[in-house]
Amino acid sequence: YCYTCETHTPPRCSHCYDCNVCVLRRDHHCVFFGRCVGFRNYRYFLSCLLFMWSGLLYATLMNAEVFIVILKEGLTLHSVLLLLIPWIMLVSG
């Protein structure tokens, strides 16, 4: 029983206070999508992460010449940030 929704819920169901609904097998509330990741949308969440990572890898491979030029000029704080910012943005959101 969920006291917030005041309804009977199945086992392994938990209430999300951000969405204000009960979610079956709730994993977490995703801030990127603004929804809860649970039983019915877990595979879509993982496939979205896979496509984002593959897109970033593709962009990195397509810009490999730029990365090589930056590395040949010498490692400065600016060049390191240019290389790491896309990865940091993907991981941190």
Side-chain angles (χ1 to χ4, degrees):
Y1 187 79
C2 178
Y3 291 104
T4 307
C5 295
E6 297 179 355
T7 59
H8 291 285
T9 57
R12 297 187 66 195
C13 186
S14 63
H15 187 81
C16 177
Y17 293 101
D18 294 326
C19 298
N20 202 22
V21 293
C22 286
V23 181
L24 183 63
R25 294 186 189 168
R26 180 176 176 265
D27 188 5
H28 67 280
H29 183 83
C30 183
V31 295
F32 300 120
F33 304 120
R35 293 184 167 226
C36 284
V37 177
F39 178 68
R40 298 193 188 270
N41 63 352
Y42 199 68
R43 71 176 150 204
Y44 302 113
F45 175 74
L46 290 178
S47 65
C48 183
L49 287 180
L50 176 71
F51 285 125
M52 285 193 302
W53 276 101
S54 61
L56 187 59
L57 180 64
Y58 177 74
T60 303
L61 291 175
M62 295 305 290
N63 292 315
E65 293 178 21
V66 174
F67 292 144
I68 291 170
V69 168
I70 289 174
L71 291 174
K72 282 183 180 177
E73 290 177 356
L75 285 177
T76 62
L77 178 64
H78 179 50
S79 63
V80 170
L81 288 177
L82 282 176
L83 293 173
L84 293 180
I85 288 290
W87 294 99
I88 293 170
M89 287 174 57
L90 180 67
V91 170
S92 66

